[in-house]
Amino acid sequence: MFENFVGSLPGAVYLGLLYALMALGVYITFRILDFPDLTVDGSFTTGAATAAVMISHGVSPWLASLTAILAGMLAGACTGLLHTKGKINGLLSGILMMIALYSINLRILGMPNVSIMGENTVLGVFPPIPFMIVVVLIFKFALDAFMKTDLGLSLRATGDNKRMIRSFGANTDNTTILGISLSNGLVALSGALIAQQSSFADATSGIGMIVIGLASVIIGEALFGAKTVFRATLAVVLGSIVYRIVISLALQIKGFETSDLKLITAIIVIIALVFPTVRSALKQRGAAKKRSAELLKSLETTPGGER
């Protein structure tokens, strides 16, 4: 089992890097905007479908990947408009857009799936893992830099306290739409790269992506912390890689099969969610015991407390 796990490790790291872009997108809505965006399941497939169809028609994979980003941003903007201008609940806005995108993605593909086997892709030009490390770091540092700008600070403030930022004259509707658009642009890029890595795009490839993204964010924050934006985005990237490594390890255990992947994902997310609570409770219990011991010691040393 150990030998099989070691052999699958490079592949797990590679997949973790491919999905890290999607996890960064989920981080923007889930943590920064505090917006439960389920558009992710649809926009991931939109990016994959857009890139695959364009590449299959002879378009440059670089241009196809860029177009996938724009398609994802458009999907995110529609969700943002439904929520801000249509006054529809955020969760429901994402669900409605996710449902609509299923039909739109089928229209883009023209069939349930499109193969790009043998076509040129951006992943075939350079060594895969070093290339993806560079790509992920570029987007990570770009996101860090953006969050330090006035617009980025407005975006963070919108997620923290909409009412307060409105009192300063900021348009929270525009920042919300922008944040959701950026998020789904990154998700769609991840979908486009996954399609090029697997050599096909499928209409159902985005199902469960929001759970994978949340797992990466939660695992990363639990293991590496998120006190600053720089540290948080790094934690998300590392969390995506750790998640894939854990999945790879779990699949090596006897009794687990590939069909159990969703169950394994759910278990990992539950553990990641419960872990910070348990750790906090243990710290509080330890601090309480320490205070009790100090109090008893102080009573013993006082004249009235001498035995």
Side-chain angles (χ1 to χ4, degrees):
M1 185 184 99
F2 181 73
E3 290 180 356
N4 291 335
F5 170 67
V6 172
S8 65
L9 198 56
V13 172
Y14 183 35
L15 277 176
L17 290 167
L18 287 168
Y19 282 105
L21 295 170
M22 184 266 295
L24 284 172
V26 172
Y27 167 76
I28 293 174
T29 50
F30 183 64
R31 283 302 190 215
I32 294 179
L33 275 180
D34 193 24
F35 185 87
D37 185 23
L38 295 184
T39 314
V40 169
D41 282 18
S43 59
F44 182 89
T45 307
T46 300
T50 302
V53 168
M54 291 183 71
I55 291 172
S56 66
H57 283 81
V59 178
S60 165
W62 298 96
L63 180 59
S65 299
L66 178 61
T67 307
I69 296 175
L70 297 176
M73 291 183 71
L74 180 60
C78 290
T79 301
L81 287 168
L82 286 174
H83 175 59
T84 57
K85 306 303 180 184
K87 304 302 178 184
I88 299 174
N89 174 271
L91 184 62
L92 184 56
S93 298
I95 292 172
L96 289 171
M97 198 61 209
M98 177 183 66
I99 294 170
L101 282 173
Y102 183 79
S103 295
I104 293 170
N105 293 335
L106 280 173
R107 285 273 187 167
I108 295 171
L109 288 168
M111 58 187 75
N113 54 68
V114 169
S115 174
I116 52 174
M117 186 74 71
E119 301 286 350
N120 292 326
T121 67
V122 298
L123 300 174
V125 180
F126 306 102
I129 292 180
F131 172 71
M132 280 310 304
I133 290 174
V134 172
V135 170
V136 170
L137 287 178
I138 287 172
F139 280 94
K140 179 251 188 295
F141 288 127
L143 182 60
D144 292 344
F146 171 73
M147 289 302 167
K148 292 179 180 179
T149 64
D150 290 343
L151 189 56
L153 291 171
S154 297
L155 189 68
R156 293 164 64 184
T158 299
D160 288 336
N161 192 325
K162 276 189 178 183
R163 187 172 296 178
M164 183 193 72
I165 197 66
R166 280 199 194 106
S167 68
F168 291 118
N171 190 324
T172 56
D173 286 356
N174 289 345
T175 52
T176 299
I177 293 169
L178 174 64
I180 300 172
S181 297
L182 289 174
S183 168
N184 284 279
L186 285 170
V187 171
L189 175 59
S190 179
L193 293 174
I194 288 291
Q196 293 175 64
Q197 180 263 342
S198 57
S199 298
F200 77 96
D202 188 273
T204 61
S205 60
I207 295 176
M209 283 301 119
I210 184 64
V211 178
I212 295 173
L214 289 175
S216 301
V217 172
I218 294 165
I219 290 170
E221 289 179 347
L223 294 178
F224 306 105
K227 291 183 178 180
T228 63
V229 172
F230 176 87
R231 189 170 173 179
T233 53
L234 180 61
V236 169
V237 172
L238 295 176
S240 178
I241 296 171
V242 170
Y243 167 77
R244 282 291 152 186
I245 292 174
V246 172
I247 288 288
S248 179
L249 178 60
L251 290 174
Q252 303 299 325
I253 300 173
K254 286 186 178 181
F256 281 119
E257 299 178 2
T258 307
S259 59
D260 297 324
L261 187 59
K262 300 297 182 184
L263 174 61
I264 296 170
T265 298
I267 292 171
I268 291 172
V269 173
I270 291 169
I271 293 172
L273 285 169
V274 172
F275 177 74
T277 305
V278 173
R279 183 174 60 181
S280 177
L282 290 174
K283 281 185 177 180
Q284 289 179 358
R285 186 178 297 178
K289 285 183 178 179
K290 187 177 180 180
R291 284 196 299 269
S292 298
E294 289 174 350
L295 181 61
L296 287 171
K297 188 176 180 180
S298 64
L299 289 172
E300 289 175 355
T301 55
T302 57
E306 290 179 352
R307 293 180 180 177

